[in-house]
Amino acid sequence: MDESWKTIGALAARFDEHDRERGVEHEESLTLQILKIGEEFGEAAQAVIGAKGTNPRKGNSHTWGDVEAEVADVIVTAMVALARMRPDAPAFFAEHLREKSARFL
């Protein structure tokens, strides 16, 4: 397992621990984690709008660097979600990527 997945695993374990301490059931915890992906995507979308300056009230409120950081947040959040759902997340993701790439590359 590479360092990225080790870090993702540590984050997933920390969030699981936090939810257990709060008495949040596992299924609810996963549901909230999936919703977090949507929240992060919304922030990425907001950054694109800000980088393009399409909101006349806000103008150019973001940079493309902001967009990149928000997209990275989406990826991290999704990886944490997968790790919280599957103990074999790195292997599952690698196989899923192989299957997708075989169809599209």
Side-chain angles (χ1 to χ4, degrees):
M1 180 183 340
D2 71 15
E3 285 301 312
S4 296
W5 277 109
K6 286 181 184 175
T7 301
I8 293 299
L11 288 168
R14 176 62 190 106
F15 296 145
D16 284 343
E17 176 186 345
H18 176 73
D19 285 350
R20 277 192 306 275
E21 290 169 356
R22 293 179 41 236
V24 177
E25 296 292 328
H26 185 66
E27 187 173 305
E28 181 181 0
S29 180
L30 296 179
T31 300
L32 294 170
Q33 182 71 39
I34 299 300
L35 291 173
K36 183 69 175 166
I37 297 169
E39 178 187 13
E40 294 296 343
F41 167 76
E43 291 174 12
Q46 182 179 19
V48 169
I49 291 167
K52 298 289 287 176
T54 58
N55 182 336
R57 190 171 49 84
K58 294 183 180 179
N60 290 87
S61 58
H62 292 76
T63 67
W64 283 102
D66 296 326
V67 175
E68 294 162 359
E70 295 298 344
V71 168
D73 286 348
V74 173
I75 294 166
V76 169
T77 303
M79 290 174 74
V80 168
L82 186 59
R84 294 180 79 187
M85 289 187 278
R86 296 188 65 109
D88 65 339
F92 177 83
F93 181 74
E95 179 57 29
H96 192 74
L97 184 58
R98 273 190 293 281
E99 290 172 4
K100 292 290 183 188
S101 64
R103 280 191 273 163
F104 296 109
L105 296 179

